[in-house]
Amino acid sequence: MQPTGIVANLSVPDIPEAREFYTDFLGLGVEAFDLGWVAHFQSPDGRAAVQLVTRDATSPADSVISVHVGDGVDAAYEDALRRGFEIVHPLTTEEWGVRRFLVRAPDGNVVNIVSHKDD
């Protein structure tokens, strides 16, 4: 797998309520997207980012990080299966335009392996 980026996914009960802390206080004032259940905020130079998540829209479990893999998501999925890792959410092209799957790491953390159109 060749990660092109990793973003922390922070569980929050309410994105609008949490927004000010992350945008104003932490300086992550650029909102890349807000789907209602997940919102991505980053610094103006793009070097720092975080995603706030209330609940995953299609997966039965929330992930702690999102690993961007460009066009390697299908190969990463096959590798996860070959290694016997637990697939929490199967390889899916989601209605919001990403192709992804969620896998449970041996330590129990759930990881979102994702390909965005712009990766």
Side-chain angles (χ1 to χ4, degrees):
M1 185 180 325
Q2 295 287 328
T4 59
I6 297 177
V7 178
N9 297 332
L10 303 180
S11 178
V12 298
D14 184 277
I15 291 171
E17 188 175 286
R19 178 178 277 115
E20 183 179 348
F21 177 84
Y22 292 95
T23 60
D24 293 343
F25 180 65
L26 292 184
L28 303 175
V30 178
E31 183 175 303
F33 63 82
D34 183 346
L35 300 178
W37 62 272
V38 59
H40 180 99
F41 300 96
Q42 62 190 41
S43 60
D45 65 7
R47 293 179 51 189
V50 68
Q51 291 184 157
L52 305 181
V53 182
T54 58
R55 51 133 186 86
D56 195 291
T58 60
S59 175
D62 292 334
S63 59
V64 295
I65 60 173
S66 290
V67 179
H68 299 248
V69 295
D71 62 5
V73 70
D74 292 87
Y77 184 71
E78 292 303 319
D79 191 26
L81 290 174
R82 183 183 61 75
R83 293 172 184 258
F85 295 142
E86 177 189 350
I87 302 300
V88 175
H89 179 69
L91 185 61
T92 305
T93 300
E94 303 287 5
E95 65 181 41
W96 56 91
V98 302
R99 186 156 172 80
R100 71 177 186 149
F101 69 96
L102 279 73
V103 59
R104 190 175 309 279
D107 59 21
N109 286 309
V110 175
V111 178
N112 179 33
I113 309 293
V114 63
S115 174
H116 285 262
K117 290 182 253 184
D118 59 352
D119 278 346

